[in-house]
Amino acid sequence: AERQKNVWYILGMGMIGYQVAAWWLEQTSGKQTTEICKVRLCGYGREMEVEALIDTGNSLREPISGKPVSIVDKEVLDRFPELRIPEKLKVIPYHSVGKTNGIMEGYEIPELLVKISGESIPWQGAVVAISKNGISADRRYQMILHPDLCKEASKKRGVI
């Protein structure tokens, strides 16, 4: 009888431990960050600074080069038409809620500067896709930055 109590006690504690671990993993993994930083778009004698949301849920990549793709509000490129060079046009396939197969117009731009922690991390030949719908309802940001640009920026900090 004593042995049976110990078995039930161990099983019960194991189940509680499993539930706690499952809850903790759910809380800490798979969450999207919503940090906002500044990004400077540069090229052809002009520059424009925008607010960008660092979105860990953005997994877009340019299909040929594999470069990470950030998304910019159409209004930004309307104010900076020099970046729409036909030779730099990229076709970016995507999937989203309510749209299983979509295509976005994108461009490789000469330089993009990601400003994190007071540093400007340069990216040559960055790819930006154009969102024809507004990116931010409250207009807090005009760009959705690919998270790999931030991860790489952290790595580059030690090099630069």
Side-chain angles (χ1 to χ4, degrees):
E2 183 68 32
R3 197 174 210 163
Q4 192 174 8
K5 281 184 192 177
N6 287 342
V7 169
W8 284 111
Y9 175 75
I10 291 170
L11 287 173
M13 292 306 289
M15 187 62 163
I16 290 170
Y18 171 80
Q19 292 294 326
V20 169
W23 173 84
W24 183 80
L25 282 172
E26 184 179 315
Q27 298 302 310
T28 58
S29 66
K31 280 195 158 188
Q32 294 185 357
T33 60
T34 56
E35 184 180 347
I36 295 189
C37 67
K38 292 192 182 296
V39 172
R40 185 174 294 270
L41 307 171
C42 308
Y44 314 107
R46 277 195 67 197
E47 293 183 354
M48 176 182 282
E49 192 167 273
V50 296
E51 298 288 323
L53 172 74
I54 301 169
D55 183 7
T56 57
N58 175 5
S59 60
L60 281 178
R61 295 213 169 258
E62 197 274 324
I64 296 171
S65 69
K67 288 182 178 182
V69 176
S70 296
I71 304 164
V72 69
D73 198 304
K74 181 183 178 300
E75 289 180 10
V76 170
L77 285 188
D78 286 348
R79 291 182 307 198
F80 200 164
E82 294 88 345
L83 294 179
R84 286 183 163 177
I85 305 275
E87 296 81 27
K88 301 291 183 176
L89 175 67
K90 306 289 180 191
V91 176
I92 314 294
Y94 73 96
H95 305 286
S96 68
V97 177
K99 185 102 172 159
T100 51
N101 292 310
I103 294 184
M104 294 173 72
E105 173 185 340
Y107 293 91
E108 184 176 316
I109 63 172
E111 187 173 41
L112 185 139
L113 294 168
V114 179
K115 295 184 175 187
I116 298 177
S117 303
E119 291 185 63
S120 293
I121 311 299
W123 286 94
Q124 308 299 317
V127 178
V128 294
I130 302 169
S131 172
K132 294 193 171 37
N133 306 326
I135 288 182
S136 169
D138 60 5
R139 298 196 167 281
R140 280 185 40 214
Y141 51 89
Q142 300 80 42
M143 180 178 215
I144 298 175
L145 193 64
H146 195 286
D148 284 2
L149 298 181
C150 300
K151 287 180 198 169
E152 290 299 319
S154 298
K155 289 179 193 172
K156 287 182 178 183
R157 279 190 199 136
V159 177
I160 294 177

